[in-house]
Amino acid sequence: KFKMNSNDPVRVNLSPDNTACCREMKLSDTFDTTNREKFRPVYHFSPLYGWMNDPNGMVYKDGEYHLFYQHNPYGSKWGNMNWGHAISKDLINWEYRSDAITPDAFGTIFSGSAVVDHNNTAGFGAGAIIAIYTQNGDRQVQSIAYSTDNGRTFTKYADNPVLVSEARDFRDPKVFWYEGTKRWIMVLAVGQEMQFFSSPNLKNWTFESSFGKGQGAHGNVWECPDLFELPVEGTNEKKWVLLCSLGDGPFGDSATQYFVGTFNGKEFVNESPSKTKWMDWGKDHYATVTWCDAPDNRRIAIAWMSNWQYANDVPTSQYRSPNSVPRDLSLFTVDGETYLQSAPSPELLKLRDVSKKRSFKVNGTRIIKDMIADNEGAYEIELTIENQHADVIGLRLYNDKGEEVDMQYNMTEKKFSMDRRKSGDVGFNENFPMLTWTAIESGKDELKLRLFVDKSSVEAFGDGGRFVMTNQVFPSEPYTHIDFYSKGGAYKVDSFVIYKLKK
Ligand code: FRU
């Protein structure tokens, strides 16, 4: 059962086999649903019905975070793209709204962003929320729609589209206000590059420059850009970060890379052209974008937690794919190179319920069965480990069916890895079984790790988010046990805390 907060109709697909069975639901309707699927996450955002991919139009206004998203309201496979919509006051509890922007003669509604037009530059009213999105029809064009009721309803601009091109892949506008030139900036993914446009009013756009040739990873098209400025930890400096998703990540297909450099309102310059930097070292972290106008100058990112290689095949039926947990971004420097740090957003602490804390030494194996009572498969593990000569620091989450996720710090090779090859149902697509890994900073004996486990995912945050790894898993029952193991020496778990996480 669910409650709706307005009389906006919601289209509901009630067919598990994804046939075109669709009903319009109104506030006055109440119905039971078999929608509580086994793999539906407990605390990650997932669409009520149907397919979801990229987060879109993330904007904060008057105490509310808006999350729009690529949504197929008619079924749980990709197609018929609309902008789904949800609102939250705390990034944790989301209120489902009906789809905000729906297809028209210019095409279906692809990814894009939203801004608050404080100065009424577009003439739709001061404080209007304006969505800028791609329409996918005969070609890809950019359109706008505005809301003067805090995102509850949107009106499409009568003179859409506002930006067209001959380019076939011309999409995913990220728009923000640049105070330096007093212009709106749009970053657009165009084939294998990013293009920058500027506008005084969100309606008339001027091409400024392009970026991409010979920079970072290529392969397949670039998608879902974002561009923002962040302070560099321990300095008075600020740098610009350009996010870019693409289908050629370190473990196959979908991943988000980023560039660090300067932006002057016209041009982005990458300070390390020979380096490729990844935001997340798992297989399921794509289309990462950040909130506009978030309070306290925070830069909060969220990603789609899947991979185009198998997103349409994952073993769910009423819905497909959640988002990652929100992350607060910052910059840090190691050996003269600046990197992005993605820390779990502090709001996630609100999810913590019952906890248990222990400390112990591991020399061989230490088994902890039934880590926490009433474990529904939604928990956080917070670890501080002191290495005392171990070559391998291992931990294994597992269930009574012999399904497991194995994680290791390899101290000799300076790597952290996550192996989901035996994590449960892995056979629905040949690209799903996988061990993912990342290099870790050398010379550290104190290791800090936070693991967010939900019904069908594991997100690992190392060293406060200096490395992150996000992977989906589909166990037949939750991982209720954990083994700590060591190879080649001992280590001390200074603190092992497990929190049950609330819905
Ligand atoms: C990225 C993407 C975008 C596009 C959207 C369509 O996942 O391919 O480039 O706008 O999905 O759903």
Side-chain angles (χ1 to χ4, degrees):
K1 289 192 179 175
F2 67 89
K3 245 193 184 164
M4 290 161 62
N5 293 313
S6 78
N7 208 27
D8 298 344
V10 164
R11 287 189 215 96
V12 174
N13 175 8
L14 293 165
S15 90
D17 60 359
N18 198 33
T19 50
C21 155
C22 181
R23 262 187 78 179
E24 276 217 334
M25 305 301 302
K26 290 240 167 67
L27 184 59
S28 40
D29 298 331
T30 317
F31 64 100
D32 279 345
T33 135
T34 52
N35 190 27
R36 196 69 225 160
E37 285 188 54
K38 177 162 139 193
F39 293 125
R40 189 182 275 278
V42 171
Y43 60 89
H44 287 83
F45 179 80
S46 60
L48 196 49
Y49 286 95
W51 160 278
M52 175 171 84
N53 57 296
D54 317 352
N56 294 154
M58 293 143 63
V59 67
Y60 176 88
K61 181 166 185 251
D62 294 346
E64 294 178 329
Y65 292 92
H66 293 267
L67 168 69
F68 301 89
Y69 53 90
Q70 287 290 280
H71 186 213
N72 179 4
Y74 304 105
S76 51
K77 299 216 175 197
W78 186 86
N80 314 305
M81 300 325 288
N82 289 246
W83 269 28
H85 187 200
I87 299 178
S88 174
K89 289 190 165 45
D90 59 4
L91 295 167
I92 299 294
N93 297 291
W94 292 96
E95 175 198 318
Y96 288 107
R97 308 287 311 179
S98 54
D99 281 2
I101 304 179
T102 55
D104 59 40
F106 296 117
T108 50
I109 312 300
F110 270 22
S111 288
S113 51
V115 295
V116 180
D117 188 9
H118 297 286
N119 300 324
N120 197 18
T121 61
F124 302 134
I129 294 181
I130 303 181
I132 309 99
Y133 50 93
T134 300
Q135 295 208 252
N136 188 54
D138 299 341
R139 54 188 180 157
Q140 298 188 336
V141 298
Q142 318 316 315
S143 294
I144 61 177
Y146 61 94
S147 169
T148 51
D149 56 3
N150 276 353
R152 269 51 184 184
T153 56
F154 278 85
T155 307
K156 288 174 180 160
Y157 174 48
D159 280 332
N160 276 338
V162 294
L163 185 61
V164 300
S165 151
E166 292 308 311
R168 200 178 74 85
D169 294 298
F170 188 69
R171 60 175 179 267
D172 307 345
K174 173 70 187 202
V175 173
F176 64 95
W177 179 254
Y178 183 76
E179 195 50 38
T181 52
K182 301 230 180 305
R183 286 280 185 279
W184 296 102
I185 303 296
M186 179 195 290
V187 194
L188 204 63
V190 186
Q192 292 237 357
E193 62 181 29
M194 296 300 179
Q195 293 189 354
F196 300 87
F197 296 81
S198 69
S199 169
N201 56 12
L202 297 164
K203 296 170 178 165
N204 309 104
W205 292 93
T206 307
F207 173 79
E208 297 288 355
S209 67
S210 61
F211 168 84
K213 224 174 179 184
Q215 312 271 334
H218 284 266
N220 226 327
V221 288
W222 282 11
E223 300 182 315
C224 303
D226 202 342
L227 179 64
F228 46 85
E229 200 180 20
L230 282 177
V232 184
E233 190 189 274
T235 71
N236 294 324
E237 230 187 327
K238 282 184 165 185
K239 291 187 178 180
W240 285 82
V241 179
L242 175 64
L243 303 185
C244 163
S245 287
L246 76 161
D248 193 20
F251 306 106
D253 212 324
S254 311
T256 305
Q257 68 175 331
Y258 65 94
F259 306 95
V260 178
T262 57
F263 180 69
N264 60 5
K266 290 178 179 296
E267 218 185 341
F268 175 81
V269 179
N270 177 13
E271 66 177 25
S272 308
S274 60
K275 277 235 163 196
T276 301
K277 298 174 179 173
W278 300 105
M279 268 198 90
D280 187 291
W281 292 87
K283 267 210 71 132
D284 297 302
H285 192 261
Y286 195 62
T288 319
V289 276
T290 65
W291 260 280
C292 276
D293 279 350
D296 306 323
N297 284 325
R298 286 172 63 190
R299 198 37 77 171
I300 308 163
I302 204 166
W304 174 51
M305 194 156 49
S306 198
N307 188 310
W308 281 112
Q309 274 182 337
Y310 45 72
N312 276 291
D313 305 332
V314 296
T316 64
S317 53
Q318 290 284 324
Y319 82 98
R320 266 201 183 80
S321 307
N323 282 333
S324 68
V325 291
R327 301 159 180 202
D328 276 41
L329 305 183
S330 57
L331 290 174
F332 68 102
T333 304
V334 177
D335 297 335
E337 196 65 56
T338 304
Y339 299 95
L340 255 188
Q341 179 160 351
S342 311
S345 293
E347 284 83 353
L348 291 162
L349 300 175
K350 275 179 57 175
L351 286 168
R352 289 178 173 178
D353 199 348
V354 190
S355 74
K356 261 190 188 173
K357 181 171 172 155
R358 320 162 214 224
S359 59
F360 45 84
K361 190 166 169 164
V362 181
N363 197 354
T365 307
R366 165 102 191 196
I367 300 169
I368 302 176
K369 288 248 174 185
D370 300 315
M371 298 181 266
I372 198 158
D374 183 22
N375 174 351
E376 266 193 282
Y379 52 90
E380 180 192 342
I381 291 176
E382 195 175 27
L383 282 167
T384 308
I385 293 172
E386 186 201 322
N387 190 21
Q388 301 174 337
H389 315 296
D391 293 331
V392 171
I393 293 174
L395 53 133
R396 199 167 68 91
L397 302 172
Y398 62 107
N399 61 22
D400 289 327
K401 295 272 161 48
E403 297 163 345
E404 63 174 46
V405 179
D406 183 66
M407 282 165 269
Q408 289 190 355
Y409 282 94
N410 189 315
M411 302 307 286
T412 323
E413 294 174 12
K414 307 279 176 237
K415 280 180 181 172
F416 174 86
S417 62
M418 191 190 293
D419 187 350
R420 69 171 179 195
R421 286 175 295 186
K422 291 190 270 177
S423 57
D425 185 352
V426 297
F428 52 86
N429 184 296
E430 61 179 8
N431 295 304
F432 188 79
M434 174 68 64
L435 177 148
T436 59
W437 65 272
T438 178
I440 53 173
E441 279 176 63
S442 48
K444 284 208 169 170
D445 281 330
E446 192 191 67
L447 307 167
K448 284 185 178 289
L449 187 66
R450 280 174 77 185
L451 298 174
F452 287 85
V453 182
D454 205 336
K455 294 240 180 210
S456 49
S457 59
V458 180
E459 283 157 290
F461 292 83
D463 285 342
R466 285 191 172 208
F467 71 83
V468 193
M469 199 172 279
T470 301
N471 283 316
Q472 293 185 91
V473 288
F474 298 96
S476 56
E477 55 186 56
Y479 309 119
T480 42
H481 319 308
I482 186 167
D483 278 359
F484 287 89
Y485 59 90
S486 69
K487 288 186 191 161
Y491 64 90
K492 192 165 166 252
V493 177
D494 280 332
S495 162
F496 164 69
V497 194
I498 172 155
Y499 300 93
K500 188 175 154 186
L501 296 187
K502 287 182 274 202
K503 239 182 211 171

